[in-house]
Amino acid sequence: MISRRGFLSTAGGLVLSSVATGAYAIGIEPNRQPRVTRYRLVPNNWPAGLKLKLVVLADIHACTPWMSPRRIGEICEQANALGGDMILLLGDFLSGMRIKTGHVAPEDWARELARLAAPLGIHAVLGNHDWLDDPAAMAARKGPTIVHQALSSINVPVYDNRASRFEKDGGAFWLAGLADQIGPRPGFDDLPATLAQIRDEAPVILMAHEPDVFPTVPKRVSLTLSGHTHGGQIRLFGYSPVVPSRFRNRYAYGHIIEHDRNLIVSGGLGMSVLPIRFGSPPEIVVVELG
């Protein structure tokens, strides 16, 4: 039988451990310099000789004290130093926090994002919180949203069911992006209309804020890039107890291959709902194709 002293010692240890864990999850991990997670892959339909480096930033969720303009600027400088051919922004620029935080004006976070530079440009899609946290756009059920306007002010195109063709080193590829899948339900995404804009056999990279569209993405798409899940924000031994996806952990994080199709889900940079990260630190994703 455990003694009273033993019980109190054990109970005290559990309390201290819980406090320490909570302090780390709120005060340390969310504020770490983003780790750089690298993926190298050659999709089945990728042309020989075409090498492409993508730097991916997802889920900024601007708010103070966790994602201030200064921190966003530092992340942008870190992203620039990675030498990507393109920088892709996968949505959720607005806070999404359910507790009171300091507001960051769109012009302030946009000014920091204007630091981003890459030879083939900066490209974006919107996320669910870019609609849900914009009452006027939600009421009207149409854009332009606050985020559309902020990104337009720094000449970053938003891919709302749109595809554009690019060339590099004599090879061609398409960059496509879906409008958000949630927003004012139902969402504004239209995958068939987006892919209908592709006029040749060059490979396709698809930006889709939420990964839930992946089961319907055809093999014609070489790579789908998503954010939204934050890796669950809490991730233990490769498992996240809460994932904002109807597929739960299936598309929570990382490189997923299904039926010769590739999906990469970023753990993102900021936080939504609650300011907690544990086992899922902020990250910048680098994808090298070819």
Side-chain angles (χ1 to χ4, degrees):
M1 176 182 292
I2 188 170
S3 68
R4 182 173 181 273
R5 176 177 292 179
F7 172 78
L8 291 175
S9 177
T10 301
L14 289 172
V15 169
L16 289 174
S17 176
S18 298
V19 170
T21 299
Y24 175 83
I26 295 173
I28 297 177
E29 185 162 306
N31 296 306
R32 288 174 53 183
Q33 180 181 16
R35 69 182 180 185
V36 177
T37 304
R38 299 178 183 271
Y39 300 94
R40 294 180 175 86
L41 60 150
V42 183
N44 286 339
N45 58 347
W46 195 259
L50 176 58
K51 294 187 179 297
L52 185 67
K53 186 176 185 180
L54 307 172
V55 175
V56 180
L57 306 179
D59 303 289
I60 289 171
H61 289 295
C63 66
T64 58
W66 292 282
M67 192 59 72
S68 66
R70 178 178 178 180
R71 177 164 166 77
I72 294 169
E74 291 170 349
I75 289 170
C76 291
E77 294 299 332
Q78 184 182 358
N80 285 341
L82 295 170
D85 297 304
M86 269 185 173
I87 298 178
L88 306 181
L89 308 176
L90 298 187
D92 272 5
F93 300 89
L94 301 185
S95 171
M97 210 61 90
R98 290 185 182 173
I99 66 172
K100 185 172 178 60
T101 60
H103 177 67
V104 176
E107 58 268 27
D108 291 338
W109 56 254
R111 182 177 60 249
E112 299 303 325
L113 290 179
R115 301 186 187 200
L116 293 170
L120 296 179
I122 319 302
H123 310 270
V125 291
L126 265 57
N128 57 307
H129 285 290
D130 300 326
W131 285 95
L132 299 175
D133 291 2
D134 186 337
M138 286 291 287
R141 297 182 62 82
K142 64 180 182 179
T145 65
I146 291 169
V147 175
H148 278 110
Q149 294 168 347
L151 293 175
S152 176
S153 74
I154 57 172
N155 299 314
V156 172
V158 175
Y159 286 63
D160 285 333
N161 304 321
R162 171 186 161 194
S164 294
R165 191 176 186 274
F166 294 85
E167 293 188 2
K168 179 180 182 284
D169 300 332
F173 67 95
W174 290 83
L175 178 67
L178 289 184
D180 188 68
Q181 300 162 52
I182 299 177
R185 291 186 181 275
F188 297 119
D189 60 303
D190 190 337
L191 181 61
T194 303
L195 297 182
Q197 300 168 40
I198 295 166
R199 302 182 301 274
D200 58 29
E201 297 303 312
V204 180
I205 297 162
L206 176 66
M207 299 183 290
H209 176 70
E210 297 92 351
D212 284 19
V213 72
F214 186 59
T216 66
V217 174
K219 289 184 180 180
R220 175 72 182 83
V221 175
S222 298
L223 173 64
T224 301
L225 294 167
S226 295
H228 180 63
T229 64
H230 307 180
Q233 286 191 193
I234 297 173
R235 192 165 180 82
L236 302 170
F237 308 109
Y239 175 81
S240 300
V242 179
V243 181
S245 164
R246 68 178 185 272
F247 296 103
R248 305 303 181 190
N249 273 268
R250 180 176 169 184
Y251 302 138
Y253 176 73
H255 183 194
I256 297 103
I257 302 173
E258 290 184 353
H259 310 295
D260 294 325
R261 296 170 305 124
N262 291 275
L263 167 68
I264 292 176
V265 182
S266 169
L269 293 159
M271 299 165 291
S272 64
V273 184
L274 294 173
I276 295 172
R277 274 188 181 266
F278 187 82
S280 183
E283 75 171 5
I284 297 172
V285 167
V286 176
V287 183
E288 296 182 58
L289 294 160

